[in-house]
């Protein structure tokens, strides 16, 4: 993947930097909050090399990249003001939709920056626990203590990390938020946990533990952000910079100890107890739900809403029952795509399935498998859900749990070792892997036809391109769009239309018929690929004033009507009608000759795309 080209293509496709309120990334996705989603060209974003698909959920415009998302995110930061400054989002930029969407967006923004450190140290803890279980290391040794500190430290002091990310999201002062979190974890304060008859200036309270806690720090930082706005506005400028944090900390910390902490502790224990109740009374149901539906949650980006439940359950019960069945869900989708890898005859499909299988099994990253293969093929995704549900139910019955927060994957399996019925864990994971794999291999799926490879370019297959429009030919460099004018999308010409009909410029297959009607991609039997883009930024019209007459995959003859459009209405809406016609695979057709100029009618010669073979002979 060329990260810079992917970044540029995605940013242009979402409507440019000016259309982005905020941008974050998670394990596999760029998560945009757009000012106007109608300005995003989803077809163009999906067509960008390196993009798996686009998902619009949770109030976010999500661009699925896969394992390379941090590199693409970094490149966007280099070509725009997005990135580090907005890496954790901001409340003012959050979706203004329903409360559920706003909650998912908030959780995603607050937890995304800490997720990999949390998962990485959790994996270390899992390996350490496995080493003790199998007798490879003894507790109490200095080596064990050092390894325990580096694997347990981050989760224990999680409120410190969440103070920073929450402050960035709510636009509060990060260092004041950190001061509050440090007070919650201060040793002498922590020592009060369990002590009776505690008071603060005569107000009785119960000290609860804030180690690994989630709710108290997020709530108090939200309140901090509102308090700071009032204090900064009311206090004299000479003193507000140091008086504000003093007042905030003086009020916030006792408020947590006396009110927020005890209430959140009750909520956390209630949630933890409820989860345990389900897994004690109907473990098969809890396991089947998590194992069967987890990947459905992933599709819509809703799994973020469950991440706090994992940490709450760990804090209140010392274990995570929810995570065991998720291993079945993840490995089931990886097994389904492995079945595609084995059964498929389509070379492109096999080449996609191979890395998606490894990514799913080893790292637990299933988006490339889901979006790139299983979901489009339908049956493998359904088989994965079946395998995940059955395997999850078995694991739930076995009472399998984790004692550390991990991202479910093959590498993270040690987190489950020694926790619950290991025989049931093996059976559950075996079923989760074998069932979808065999169903995919035996029952199969509707396999897409193998794309015909372009014929080798020879001197005989230069392509004569006819004019698709009535209008006036102008140099491509005069196109009021930098990507076309600089030839970034290919060489060719542009036409200023004088009528509202677009015709096929040669016998071709419709490679892409955009539903918005603003663009058509054509492929000649000899391999030449041509893009016709009606107007500049006309995707923002959302199909208004366009009537598409063809569909993707359709065969057309030169002169066939492709699109009708209302040029006057488009111009009245403020859009330039200059229409670029470019050859997009310049590696096969590196030269353009015989370019027409001035007035032209559809069907008249426009230019010739010279093949690489012919160009070599001429040279």
């Amino acid at each position: 993947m060329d990260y810079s080209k992917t970044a540029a293509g995605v940013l242009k496709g979402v409507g440019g930097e000016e259309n982005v309120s905020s941008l974050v990334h998670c394990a596999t996705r760029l998560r945009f909050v757009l000012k106007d989603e109608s300005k995003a060209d989803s077809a163009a974003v999906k067509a960008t090399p390196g993009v798996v698909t686009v998902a619009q959920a949770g109030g976010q415009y999500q661009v699925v990249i896969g394992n390379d998302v941090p590199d693409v995110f970094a490149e966007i930061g280099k070509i725009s003001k997005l990135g580090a400054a907005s890496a954790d989002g901001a409340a003012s930029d959050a979706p203004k939709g329903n409360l559920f969407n706003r909650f998912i967006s908030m959780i995603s923004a607050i937890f995304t920056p800490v997720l990999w450190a949390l998962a990485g140290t959790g994996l270390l803890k899992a390996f350490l626990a496995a080493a003790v279980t199998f007798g490879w290391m003894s507790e109490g040794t200095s080596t064990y203590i050092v390894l325990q500190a580096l694997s347990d430290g981050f989760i224990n002091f999680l409120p410190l990390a969440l103070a920073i990310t929450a402050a960035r999201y709510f636009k509060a002062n990060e260092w004041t938020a950190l001061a509050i979190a440090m007070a919650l974890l201060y040793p002498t304060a922590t020592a009060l946990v369990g002590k009776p008859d505690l008071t603060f200036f005569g107000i009785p309270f119960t000290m609860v533990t804030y180690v690994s806690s989630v709710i108290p720090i997020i709530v108090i930082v939200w309140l901090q952000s509102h308090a700071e706005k009032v204090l900064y506005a009311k206090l004299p400028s000479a003193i507000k910079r140091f008086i504000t944090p003093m007042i905030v900390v003086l009020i916030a910390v006792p408020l947590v100890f006396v009110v927020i902490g005890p209430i959140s502790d009750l909520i956390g224990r209630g949630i933890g107890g409820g989860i345990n109740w389900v897994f004690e009374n109907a473990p098969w149901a809890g396991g089947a739900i998590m194992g069967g539906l987890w990947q459905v949650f992933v599709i819509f980006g809703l799994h973020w809403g469950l991440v706090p439940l994992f940490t709450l359950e760990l804090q209140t019960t010392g274990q995570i029952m929810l995570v065991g069945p998720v291993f079945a869900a993840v490995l089931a989708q990886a097994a389904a795509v492995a079945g595609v890898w084995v059964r498929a005859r389509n070379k492109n499909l096999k080449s996609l399935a191979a890395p998606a299988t490894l990514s799913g099994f080893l790292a637990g990253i299933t988006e490339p498998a889901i979006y790139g293969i299983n979901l489009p093929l339908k049956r493998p995704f359904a088989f994965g859900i079946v395998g995940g549900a059955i395997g999850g139910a078995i694991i739930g019955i076995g009472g399998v749990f984790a004692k550390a927060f991990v991202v479910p994957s093959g590498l993270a399996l040690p987190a489950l070792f020694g926790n619950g019925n290991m025989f049931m864990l093996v059976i559950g994971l075996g079923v989760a892997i074998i069932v979808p794999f065999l169903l995919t291999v035996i029952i199969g799926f509707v396999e897409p036809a193998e794309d015909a490879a372009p014929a080798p370019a020879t001197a005989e297959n230069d392509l004569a391109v006819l004019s698709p429009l009535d209008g006036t030919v102008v140099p491509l460099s005069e196109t009021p769009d930098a990507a076309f004018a600089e030839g970034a999308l290919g060489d060719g010409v542009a036409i200023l239309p004088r009528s509202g009909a677009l015709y096929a410029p040669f016998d071709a297959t419709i490679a892409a018929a955009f539903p918005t009607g603003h663009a058509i991609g054509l492929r000649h039997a000899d391999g030449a690929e041509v893009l016709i883009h009606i107007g500049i930024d006309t995707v923002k019209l959302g199909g208004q004033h366009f009537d598409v007459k063809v569909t993707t995959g359709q065969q057309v003859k030169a002169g066939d009507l492709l699109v009708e459009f209302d040029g006057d209405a488009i111009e009245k809406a403020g859009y330039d009608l200059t229409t670029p016609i470019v050859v997009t695979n310049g590696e096969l057709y590196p030269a353009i000759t015989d370019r027409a100029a001035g007035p032209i009618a559809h069907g008249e010669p426009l230019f010739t795309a010279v093949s690489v073979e012919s160009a070599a002979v001429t040279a």
Side-chain angles (χ1 to χ4, degrees):
M1 186 191 304
D2 186 326
Y3 303 130
S4 60
K5 287 185 178 179
T6 302
V10 169
L11 191 57
K12 185 177 188 301
V14 300
E17 181 180 355
E18 63 277 6
N19 192 40
V20 179
S21 291
S22 67
L23 170 63
V24 300
H25 77 84
C26 58
T28 57
R29 310 177 187 205
L30 295 169
R31 294 170 173 265
F32 291 91
V33 175
L34 301 181
K35 297 175 182 176
D36 185 353
E37 287 196 2
S38 68
K39 293 182 179 180
D41 186 347
S42 294
V45 175
K46 290 179 184 178
T48 302
V51 172
V52 177
T53 191
V54 169
Q56 292 169 263
Q60 297 175 328
Y61 188 90
Q62 304 172 15
V63 181
V64 182
I65 302 293
N67 296 336
D68 295 318
V69 68
D71 301 292
V72 177
F73 179 82
E75 287 297 326
I76 291 178
K78 293 178 183 178
I79 61 175
S80 70
K81 294 180 180 178
L82 303 172
S86 60
D88 304 301
S92 61
D93 298 329
K96 300 299 188 284
N98 61 59
L99 288 175
F100 180 73
N101 283 349
R102 293 166 67 181
F103 171 75
I104 294 297
S105 177
M106 178 191 72
I107 293 300
S108 173
I110 291 174
F111 275 87
T112 292
V114 305
L115 179 64
W116 289 119
L118 191 62
T121 54
L123 188 59
L124 285 174
K125 184 174 181 179
F127 285 135
L128 183 61
V132 172
T133 299
F134 294 118
W136 301 334
M137 185 178 297
S138 298
E139 295 184 28
T141 64
S142 57
T143 299
Y144 176 86
I145 292 172
V146 171
L147 292 176
Q148 184 185 39
L150 62 89
S151 61
D152 260 1
F154 191 79
I155 186 69
N156 282 357
F157 293 100
L158 183 61
L160 300 181
L162 296 181
I164 297 297
T165 57
R168 291 176 182 173
Y169 182 79
F170 295 121
K171 292 190 173 180
N173 184 284
E174 297 175 18
W175 304 109
T176 303
L178 198 58
I180 295 171
M182 288 176 174
L184 302 185
L185 299 172
Y186 195 66
T188 52
T190 303
L192 295 177
V193 175
K195 297 287 182 68
D197 303 323
L198 300 178
T199 62
F200 179 75
F201 286 107
I203 302 173
F205 72 97
T206 301
M207 179 64 75
V208 300
T209 180
Y210 296 96
V211 171
S212 306
S213 64
V214 172
I215 296 176
I217 192 63
I218 294 176
V219 172
I220 198 61
V221 171
W222 173 67
L223 293 175
Q224 171 199 341
S225 67
H226 290 284
E228 286 177 339
K229 290 177 184 177
V230 174
L231 292 171
Y232 283 142
K234 300 296 184 181
L235 292 174
S237 58
I239 62 171
K240 67 181 180 182
R241 293 300 172 188
F242 61 89
I243 292 296
T244 295
M246 182 190 76
I247 295 175
V248 168
V249 172
L250 186 59
I251 296 175
V253 174
L255 183 62
V256 174
F257 285 159
V258 175
V259 181
I260 296 174
I263 292 176
S264 66
D265 185 63
L266 287 174
I267 293 173
R269 291 185 182 280
I271 293 173
I275 292 171
N276 282 341
W277 184 90
V278 170
F279 278 90
E280 286 175 2
N281 292 276
W284 62 270
I289 291 171
M290 292 301 295
L293 296 183
W294 177 260
Q295 297 293 9
V296 178
F297 297 152
V298 170
I299 289 175
F300 296 103
L302 304 180
H303 56 303
W304 281 104
L306 295 173
V307 171
L309 296 186
F310 291 173
T311 55
L312 276 174
E313 189 186 0
L314 180 63
Q315 183 202 9
T316 56
T317 67
Q319 60 188 38
I320 311 177
M321 298 293 298
L322 288 172
V323 80
V326 177
F327 276 82
V330 170
L331 297 183
Q333 287 298 330
V337 80
V340 174
W341 185 10
V342 170
R343 183 184 171 98
R345 296 294 175 264
N346 184 304
K347 292 180 181 178
N348 291 334
L349 195 58
K350 289 181 80 72
S351 67
L352 285 172
T357 298
L358 297 177
S359 176
F361 274 121
L362 295 180
I365 302 299
T366 55
E367 274 91 344
I370 292 174
Y371 288 113
I373 301 171
N374 292 357
L375 197 57
L377 295 178
K378 298 182 178 64
R379 287 182 187 174
F381 182 70
F383 297 153
I385 290 177
V386 171
I390 299 173
I394 295 172
I395 292 172
I397 293 171
V400 178
F401 59 90
K403 289 185 177 180
F405 179 95
V406 292
V407 174
S409 66
L411 289 175
L413 279 173
L416 305 180
F417 292 167
N419 303 323
N421 190 315
M422 292 296 96
F423 176 75
M424 297 296 281
L425 172 64
V426 172
I427 296 297
L429 292 179
V431 168
I433 293 171
I434 293 171
V435 167
F437 178 80
L438 291 180
L439 288 175
T440 303
V441 172
I442 295 171
I443 297 177
F445 44 87
V446 179
E447 188 168 341
E450 185 78 62
D451 291 338
T458 66
E460 287 73 32
N461 64 4
D462 292 354
L463 178 64
V465 178
L466 306 179
S467 176
L469 294 162
D470 300 322
T472 302
V473 180
V474 296
L476 192 64
S477 59
E478 295 182 10
T479 305
D481 181 286
F484 283 109
E486 296 171 5
L489 300 178
D491 196 6
V493 300
I495 295 178
L496 297 174
R498 64 170 178 268
S499 64
L502 179 75
Y503 301 91
F506 49 83
D507 296 350
T509 299
I510 302 298
F514 293 89
T516 51
H518 75 288
I520 291 285
L522 302 146
R523 183 184 298 116
H524 189 268
D526 288 336
E529 297 178 351
V530 172
L531 172 67
I532 305 173
H533 198 289
I534 306 173
I536 305 303
D537 291 332
T538 46
V539 63
K540 297 176 182 178
L541 289 169
Q544 188 178 9
H545 310 311
F546 290 93
D547 183 10
V548 185
K549 303 295 185 181
V550 292
T551 59
T552 299
Q554 182 177 335
Q555 303 292 319
V556 296
K557 295 289 185 180
D560 285 353
L561 181 63
L562 305 181
V563 181
E564 288 184 334
F565 57 94
D566 188 337
D568 291 339
I570 293 171
E571 288 186 318
K572 286 180 181 178
Y575 295 91
D576 191 304
L577 267 180
T578 302
T579 300
I581 301 100
V582 298
V583 177
T584 57
N585 55 341
E587 70 281 2
L588 285 181
Y589 292 85
I592 301 296
T593 62
D594 306 323
R595 302 177 204 249
I600 196 169
H602 75 273
E604 293 181 352
L606 182 63
F607 61 77
T608 298
V610 180
S611 72
V612 66
E613 183 91 8
S614 182
V617 171
T618 302

